[in-house]
Amino acid sequence: MPQNSPQGPDFFARQRTLLEQAVTATTCRDHWSPYPESPSKSVYGEDAAKLGEQAFREQIGKPFDLPGHPGEARVSPAERSPYGFPLGVTYPRLGPDAAVAAAKAAAPAWRDAGPDVRAGVAAEILSRLNAASFEIAHAVQHTTGQAFVMAFQAGGPHAQDRGLEAVAYAWAEQKRHPSTARWSKPQRKGGPLVMDKRFTPVGRGVSLLIACNTFPTWNGYPGLFASLVTGNPVVVKPHAGAVLPLAITVRVAREVLAEAGFDPNLVLLAAEEPGERTAGALALHPDVRIIDFTGSTEFGDWLEANANQAVVYTEKAGLNTVVLDSTDDYRGLLSNLAFSLSLYSGQMCTTPQNLFVPRAGIATDQGVRTADEFAADLAAALDKLLADPARAAGTLGAVVNDGVRERLALAADVGHTVRASTRIKHPEHPEADVRTPLVAQLDAETDRDAYTREWFGPVSFVIGTDSTEHSLGIFRETVRRHGALTAAVHSTSEAVLATAEEAALDAGVHLSENLTGGVFVNQSAAFSDFHGSAANPAASATLSDPAFVTGRFATLQSRRPVIAEEPAHA
């Protein structure tokens, strides 16, 4: 039972079945999702799409309203849609000290509420976020450059899945121990020693979420909800280019918290002007005890080295690798890989970068294909996939920022370009910067400096090696040193697949084998696939597993002797 539920709706009773199903899903690892990924009228209602777009359009150029949120001044992050127009939304200005103070003041009642109440409130927040999926989708599309369907799925239901997954782990781990127990120790003489004990999960303190530009909700929700359910108030620090999706999230969370009888300052927004250093100042605040970060390796490493007062969960960058040995479905391999390289113009932390191919070639159902021939075939597969501009725009989306453009320009001078990146005119947004993937050929020995750095964006390398054994050795060594979030292998040999699995275990990265159909290496499913791994340098956490939540709280106990009652006198 909840320890202390304020006056308000019993969200735990409303959401209990969902929470129990979510916990079961984390143990079964089969496909499960309570949030439909199709933006269909039959699923979300006849008017949901129209109302969601209307809500987004009505927000453009106006102050974002967060009732009761501290901070009277406004900030203008200069968000601009990658599809060609400014958003012009302003947000409350909230400095680091004020944010932390407001969050701390809100925490005691939330701590006392207990895991059940907190999990129920979190599940209710996610339910209402699901109802707002169309509004969030437009906000994600016009801050990240994702195509609309991807923005709906990844920014809406799939992000909500990841949030609920974190809720399930956090709730289950806090319920691992009973809330009360009677301890009785027999003695040789006299009666037993008897103690009554109480066990209370207590959050570490203020949690800071530092979100990224490309997947603000998908990467942001796990840390937000893991911290909230374990009893910690959360300060949300969005990327200056992608504030709106998380501002909507904060608004919904605050509404539910207030309705449940809690201080809405349990969730706060810390938006900033371009060029401000709010994240660094917040990260070093002595009362910030948890940090979730997605972004560059440089800042992630800085957080891990300097934010010593906090437990730090990072997802950074790495060298996502594909080892090619052989296949019995060459056409399927090329099609699958071309889509993986093209999806959202490669602006995913999971997009393959390094494709290792023996120079002498790989055995396929279409004969042996040398490294040179494979590179040409991959280029042709990309041309075929992206031949129709409308279809291409729906796959590629738009380039999110200048950093991607700069890396593309630099990559044009690396190795031998097999397929140059080209611009595609978007049929609906002529000002959008839509780019196709660049594929270059490198040599494993002479071009090591090029492929051992990350080229975030639509840049991939076909790297010639001496053999599959050589490819696997480089894969193991480079991922162990530089990190990776995904890895894949293609082989018809069970011995090679076994060796690849061993190499992946040594390197500490998740592995996909022989993907030729509708599952892609850069996509992962909540409640089944693990994303990220603290076993290599690209991340310090996994989304999601018990380790992602247990460091956010401590179970504290109180105990007192049970005094035997005096026998009644006659």
Side-chain angles (χ1 to χ4, degrees):
M1 293 295 292
Q3 294 180 17
N4 180 21
S5 181
Q7 294 298 316
D10 189 347
F11 290 131
F12 177 68
R14 180 184 299 180
Q15 301 289 349
R16 182 168 188 165
T17 298
L18 175 66
L19 291 166
E20 291 172 344
Q21 290 173 335
V23 171
T24 298
T26 64
T27 61
C28 294
R29 314 308 296 184
D30 196 1
H31 169 71
W32 182 77
S33 171
Y35 309 120
E37 67 178 2
S38 172
S40 168
K41 294 179 180 179
S42 64
V43 175
Y44 285 92
E46 187 70 25
D47 297 326
K50 179 180 66 177
L51 294 175
E53 182 174 7
Q54 180 180 328
F56 167 74
R57 297 291 175 189
E58 290 177 349
Q59 184 60 65
I60 293 174
K62 297 178 182 177
F64 193 89
D65 188 25
L66 286 172
H69 193 282
E72 295 181 2
R74 310 292 294 186
V75 298
S76 178
E79 291 171 289
R80 181 176 179 81
S81 170
Y83 292 94
F85 60 90
L87 270 60
V89 184
T90 63
Y91 304 92
R93 177 180 288 280
L94 185 61
D97 290 338
V100 173
K104 285 181 64 179
W110 187 240
R111 175 199 64 205
D112 295 343
D116 288 352
V117 171
R118 293 195 293 264
V121 170
E124 180 68 20
I125 293 169
L126 284 162
S127 176
R128 297 193 193 183
L129 287 171
N130 181 247
S133 289
F134 281 95
E135 180 184 4
I136 293 171
H138 285 285
V140 169
Q141 178 185 16
H142 291 292
T143 54
T144 70
Q146 295 175 31
F148 178 77
V149 172
M150 183 178 185
F152 181 88
Q153 293 179 340
H158 293 174
Q160 295 147 19
D161 283 339
R162 282 297 185 192
L164 183 60
E165 183 181 44
V167 170
Y169 276 110
W171 184 51
E173 290 301 319
Q174 290 176 98
K175 302 282 285 182
R176 182 176 297 278
H177 306 295
S179 58
T180 61
R182 174 160 289 188
W183 178 87
S184 180
K185 179 180 180 180
Q187 298 191 102
R188 289 185 179 181
K189 297 181 179 180
L193 297 174
V194 183
M195 303 282 289
D196 275 343
K197 303 184 180 184
R198 182 181 298 274
F199 305 96
T200 305
V202 176
R204 287 180 61 92
V206 176
S207 179
L208 171 63
L209 168 62
I210 305 173
C212 65
N213 194 174
T214 49
F215 288 88
T217 57
W218 196 96
N219 280 107
Y221 282 5
L224 169 63
F225 285 98
S227 283
L228 202 59
V229 175
T230 50
N232 306 283
V234 183
V235 177
V236 177
K237 209 300 291 181
H239 188 282
V243 180
L244 187 56
L246 289 173
I248 295 169
T249 301
V250 169
R251 182 187 66 202
V252 171
R254 290 174 62 85
E255 288 171 354
V256 175
L257 286 162
E259 190 176 329
F262 294 101
D263 187 338
N265 289 340
L266 285 162
V267 179
L268 293 158
L269 184 71
E272 63 181 358
E273 300 276 356
E276 288 189 297
R277 304 289 296 176
T278 305
L282 277 165
L284 297 183
H285 195 291
D287 290 325
V288 167
R289 305 304 305 281
I290 303 165
I291 298 173
D292 288 280
F293 168 75
T294 302
S296 71
T297 296
E298 181 182 10
F299 191 60
D301 289 346
W302 182 87
L303 288 169
E304 292 170 355
N306 292 281
N308 299 315
Q309 84 290 352
V311 56
V312 180
Y313 302 92
T314 60
E315 181 190 305
K316 299 174 288 188
L319 308 178
N320 300 322
T321 301
V322 180
V323 173
L324 295 118
D325 169 73
S326 55
T327 181
D328 55 11
D329 184 4
Y330 190 53
R331 180 177 296 179
L333 181 157
L334 291 170
S335 176
N336 185 282
L337 195 52
F339 185 80
S340 296
L341 301 187
S342 301
L343 186 60
Y344 185 31
S345 296
Q347 298 169 119
M348 303 175 69
C349 60
T350 50
T351 300
Q353 174 180 299
N354 294 339
L355 316 178
F356 290 107
V357 187
R359 298 182 195 90
I362 61 174
T364 81
D365 54 325
Q366 298 181 27
V368 174
R369 307 299 289 174
T370 66
D372 291 348
E373 291 170 329
F374 169 79
D377 293 341
L378 179 59
L382 286 164
D383 290 341
K384 180 180 179 181
L385 174 68
L386 305 174
D388 177 63
R391 180 186 177 189
T395 300
L396 296 167
V399 171
V400 69
N401 57 41
D402 288 338
V404 175
R405 283 181 276 271
E406 291 167 2
R407 284 185 290 275
L408 262 177
L410 291 172
D413 295 324
V414 174
H416 167 61
T417 299
V418 180
R419 187 188 190 282
S421 177
T422 58
R423 291 176 183 265
I424 290 179
K425 186 175 181 179
H426 197 290
E428 297 176 12
H429 303 282
E431 294 185 36
D433 186 6
V434 182
R435 306 285 190 101
T436 66
L438 178 149
V439 178
Q441 271 191 273
L442 305 181
D443 183 83
E445 299 302 326
T446 60
D447 296 312
R448 187 175 181 85
D449 288 344
Y451 68 76
T452 54
R453 55 166 286 196
E454 191 203 25
W455 297 75
F456 182 80
V459 176
S460 294
F461 303 120
V462 175
I463 304 165
T465 65
D466 297 338
S467 63
T468 297
E469 183 180 8
H470 187 206
S471 298
L472 288 169
I474 300 173
F475 159 58
R476 178 190 280 108
E477 186 267 327
T478 56
V479 172
R480 288 182 68 175
R481 178 173 296 182
H482 303 283
L485 291 168
T486 61
V489 60
H490 285 271
S491 181
T492 58
S493 165
E494 287 298 329
V496 170
L497 293 176
T499 304
E501 287 188 38
E502 183 179 355
L505 293 174
D506 288 344
V509 66
H510 309 300
L511 180 69
S512 296
E513 302 173 9
N514 293 334
L515 298 183
T516 57
V519 176
F520 305 95
V521 67
N522 45 344
Q523 296 175 318
S524 65
F527 298 103
S528 185
D529 294 323
F530 291 114
H531 173 77
S533 164
N536 77 67
S540 66
T542 295
L543 304 181
S544 287
D545 65 0
F548 187 66
V549 301
T550 53
R552 299 170 193 266
F553 72 96
T555 301
L556 302 182
Q557 73 171 40
S558 61
R559 59 183 182 171
R560 66 175 63 175
V562 175
I563 307 300
E565 295 184 0
E566 294 287 340
H569 293 287

